[in-house]
Amino acid sequence: MKSFSMRLGLILALSIATLVFLLTITLTYMTSQRSAASLEAEIGGRLSMTSHQLVDKLDFYMWSRYQEIQLLQGLDALNEPASSRALLDQVQTNIPAFSWMGVTDAAGNVVASTNGILEGASISERPVFLEAQDEPFIGDVHEAVLLAELLPNPTGEVLQFVDISVPLFRDGAFQGVLATHLSWEWGKEVLRHFNRTLHHQSEYTDIFVVSGRDNTVLLGPDHLVGKPLPTKLDDGWHVDTWADGKSYLTGVATGEGYEDYAGLDWSVVVRQPAEVAFAPVASLERNILLIGLGASFVTAILGWLLASVVTRPLKRITETAALMKQGKAKTFPHQSGIHEIESLAFALESLVTSLTESETERVHYESLAHRDVLTGLANRTALRHYLNEAQATKNEYVCFYIDLDGFKAINDTYGHAAGDDVLIKIAERLKRVTLDGSYPVRLSGDEFFLLFERNGQNGHSITRIGEDIIASLSKPIAIESGTATVGASIGASLWQTETVPHAAIKRADQALYRSKANGKNQITLDESLT
């Protein structure tokens, strides 16, 4: 009889252990998969953001140099060789990135240059002269030709330049070209700086700057510089297998220029070995699994110790656990009279509660991924989801593409903290817009987006709505230093949900540019609303 009792206790203990283990593994797997997906998206987004920051920095630097050359273009000092040479030498002293600067006559002969280099020589066959006779020219990275032996080169590395040149006119007649060679060393310094900002992960991270002309690596690992990138990648982040057979998490961003600088279509590619990039994901999954296994082990031991006296209550608990696994029950039945059974039921319920809370936290963090951190508005990711859902409604929506006027001056005058305060206040005002289906979004920087149902409104009504919003956003905003005022320009278009939304958004963006061109602080309707 004793032997049968021990065997029954062991069977019950194993049964409880197996049931709880399966329940734990199921919930653990679901939680870890969803949490891992959210964490992977966050890690990939950070890598993609790094590539965007670097490509923006490259474009901004080129724009700055381009603006400086355009400024020199209008100076009278360039009309005489002596004054031209003095001016160019002074500019090079202040901005050493200009390795060589020269002024030519109309035939392409250099009449003045920094340090007198190439004076008297002809550059009439070089793109820096040929391409700049009618309009400014910006050439992609290339090796030195005429200057290879004339410029200092202490490192012995191949000299590379980016060309910037502008035409010179006197009394409406072509006089020559202001030609410059911008040393590519500045690009290398930007890359070194970004590598330092990656801290401990920099040794595992490769950054490439890739030419949009022929997919050639302009900056990156030494063994790939000057060669075509082994793989063609799309913007954003993704996991790819490269030519070396390894899997990499890759972030890609393509430059779009800055202000009136159209850009050279450089792409920045940032990659990390997948096992390094997703190490936190593996750690999260491992920890969740260990917690689940530990809880299963503790529960199994408790069941084995109490099996001889809890056969009947345990049966009820086991049946309830099976129902919970199927989603038909949420709590264990209350056990009274036997303290150990009460403890076991409570322990199992606590385990399920803990795993459920983990799932709730995952949902919370997933919600954060759809919100702009600064303003609390929906972000681009949330907008995509919303548009996908809206396509099932068969409604007509009005798209407002909003850009703040004068916001850069706020940052420049009062600082970025004040600029953040202004963006927060603008977001609060957009949240208070009362329109059917109103959905405000912060796209980036000082760009916002507002979607609402048309509900039969004509162009006049929509214009009035836009003007009311502009008036609201243009009201003074209290900041720490006093008050600040910004304007707003709006481009509006109609989106019919049987069509793809990005076309309507693009039309609204184009209408916004017309608002800007026509004097700002106004709304322009796309032809779909007129």
Side-chain angles (χ1 to χ4, degrees):
M1 190 68 173
K2 182 178 180 181
S3 176
F4 177 79
S5 177
M6 290 295 293
R7 185 175 302 162
L8 178 61
L10 180 61
I11 292 174
L12 290 174
L14 291 175
S15 299
I16 294 172
T18 301
L19 179 62
V20 175
F21 176 78
L22 292 175
L23 176 64
T24 302
I25 289 298
T26 300
L27 292 175
T28 298
Y29 177 77
M30 294 173 59
T31 301
S32 65
Q33 288 296 303
R34 295 184 180 182
S35 300
S38 297
L39 187 56
E40 286 181 2
E42 179 184 349
I43 294 170
R46 287 202 302 265
L47 203 66
S48 178
M49 181 62 68
T50 298
S51 62
H52 276 282
Q53 290 172 342
L54 179 52
V55 80
D56 287 346
K57 191 174 185 67
L58 292 171
D59 281 344
F60 180 79
Y61 186 94
M62 285 295 298
W63 171 80
S64 299
R65 303 291 81 80
Y66 178 49
Q67 292 297 304
E68 290 155 358
I69 296 303
Q70 287 189 313
L71 179 63
L72 293 176
Q73 181 185 20
L75 298 181
D76 292 336
L78 295 181
N79 293 331
E80 297 296 334
S83 59
S84 297
R85 187 181 304 110
L87 176 61
L88 298 180
D89 285 339
Q90 182 180 1
V91 172
Q92 186 186 53
T93 300
N94 293 326
I95 309 175
F98 287 116
S99 295
W100 180 84
M101 306 177 71
V103 175
T104 76
D105 59 19
N109 299 309
V110 179
V111 296
S113 68
T114 50
N115 298 313
I117 296 175
L118 288 183
E119 287 187 5
S122 173
I123 61 171
S124 60
E125 300 301 320
R126 303 301 304 159
V128 73
F129 175 81
L130 291 173
E131 302 290 340
Q133 297 183 36
D134 296 316
E135 60 184 16
F137 167 69
I138 301 177
D140 209 341
V141 178
H142 64 88
E143 294 184 5
V145 180
L146 297 176
L147 297 173
E149 303 297 331
L150 301 177
L151 292 177
N153 185 14
T155 64
E157 297 181 359
V158 175
L159 296 179
Q160 291 183 305
F161 302 111
V162 178
D163 295 337
I164 302 178
S165 54
V166 293
L168 301 176
F169 296 95
R170 182 187 298 171
D171 299 328
F174 176 66
Q175 178 183 353
V177 165
L178 170 58
T180 67
H181 288 320
L182 187 64
S183 172
W184 188 229
E185 285 298 318
W186 70 266
K188 297 178 182 179
E189 179 55 34
V190 169
L191 188 60
R192 285 191 290 268
H193 170 75
F194 256 74
N195 273 320
R196 289 194 295 270
T197 63
L198 293 175
H199 303 298
H200 65 281
Q201 288 193 336
S202 60
E203 61 180 300
Y204 303 107
T205 304
D206 293 323
I207 302 179
F208 305 82
V209 178
V210 183
S211 171
R213 177 183 57 198
D214 53 13
N215 205 40
T216 298
V217 177
L218 303 177
L219 288 177
D222 293 339
H223 67 285
L224 290 177
V225 172
K227 301 177 181 178
L229 194 70
T231 182
K232 184 67 175 177
L233 302 171
D234 298 323
D235 280 13
W237 70 270
H238 25 73
V239 178
D240 298 286
T241 300
W242 285 55
D244 59 4
K246 296 181 180 179
S247 182
Y248 293 91
L249 173 64
T250 310
V252 184
T254 301
E256 299 178 352
Y258 187 87
E259 299 289 348
D260 57 342
Y261 164 63
L264 293 170
D265 292 329
W266 289 338
S267 293
V268 171
V269 179
V270 184
R271 75 174 188 182
Q272 284 182 349
E275 66 272 14
V276 174
F278 294 139
V281 177
S283 177
L284 174 66
E285 292 177 329
R286 184 169 56 254
N287 290 338
I288 293 177
L289 179 60
L290 289 176
I291 291 172
L293 291 175
S296 298
F297 181 72
V298 170
T299 305
I301 293 179
L302 183 61
W304 181 77
L305 294 174
L306 301 178
S308 60
V309 293
V310 296
T311 303
R312 188 174 301 158
L314 276 179
K315 182 178 180 181
R316 294 179 60 195
I317 292 175
T318 303
E319 292 172 349
T320 304
L323 293 174
M324 291 181 69
K325 184 177 179 181
Q326 301 170 11
K328 298 179 180 179
K330 295 183 178 180
T331 59
F332 286 97
H334 179 69
Q335 302 293 334
S336 59
I338 303 177
H339 177 71
E340 290 79 5
I341 297 301
E342 293 179 7
S343 298
L344 177 59
F346 178 76
L348 290 171
E349 189 165 5
S350 297
L351 171 62
V352 174
T353 300
S354 176
L355 291 172
T356 303
E357 289 174 352
S358 296
E359 176 69 8
T360 301
E361 289 181 2
R362 183 201 65 78
V363 173
H364 171 68
Y365 286 120
E366 189 176 73
S367 175
L368 289 179
H370 287 73
R371 290 286 162 188
D372 176 60
V373 176
L374 177 64
T375 64
L377 293 180
N379 59 17
R380 288 179 181 272
T381 301
L383 177 60
R384 285 195 295 270
H385 287 288
Y386 186 83
L387 293 174
N388 289 337
E389 293 174 356
Q391 283 190 294
T393 64
K394 306 302 180 184
N395 290 338
E396 289 186 335
Y397 289 86
V398 177
C399 302
F400 274 7
Y401 208 117
I402 306 171
D403 186 80
L404 301 184
D405 299 326
F407 177 73
K408 183 177 183 297
I410 301 296
N411 278 336
D412 294 341
T413 304
Y414 301 105
H416 289 279
D420 289 347
D421 289 340
V422 169
L423 292 175
I424 292 171
K425 295 297 192 308
I426 292 296
E428 291 174 352
R429 293 175 182 180
L430 286 176
K431 291 176 185 176
R432 291 196 291 268
V433 172
T434 55
L435 295 168
D436 290 342
S438 175
Y439 191 75
V441 181
R442 184 189 179 197
L443 297 177
S444 65
D446 59 347
E447 290 186 345
F448 296 84
F449 186 82
L450 182 67
L451 189 75
F452 59 90
E453 295 179 11
R454 184 181 188 185
N455 286 343
Q457 294 159 331
N458 58 28
H460 179 72
S461 300
I462 293 170
T463 299
R464 188 169 61 252
I465 292 171
E467 290 172 346
D468 291 342
I469 291 175
I470 291 173
S472 173
L473 300 184
S474 300
K475 292 179 180 178
I477 297 173
I479 58 176
E480 186 175 348
S481 303
T483 59
T485 303
V486 295
S489 297
I490 299 177
S493 69
L494 177 66
W495 174 46
Q496 297 172 318
T497 54
E498 62 267 19
T499 64
V500 292
H502 66 80
I505 296 174
K506 183 177 181 180
R507 293 198 306 274
D509 189 22
Q510 292 169 345
L512 170 63
Y513 275 101
R514 293 197 291 275
S515 292
K516 291 282 191 180
N518 292 333
K520 303 181 179 180
N521 211 43
Q522 58 185 275
I523 178 172
T524 300
L525 303 186
D526 175 70
E527 61 183 10
S528 60
L529 289 169
T530 58

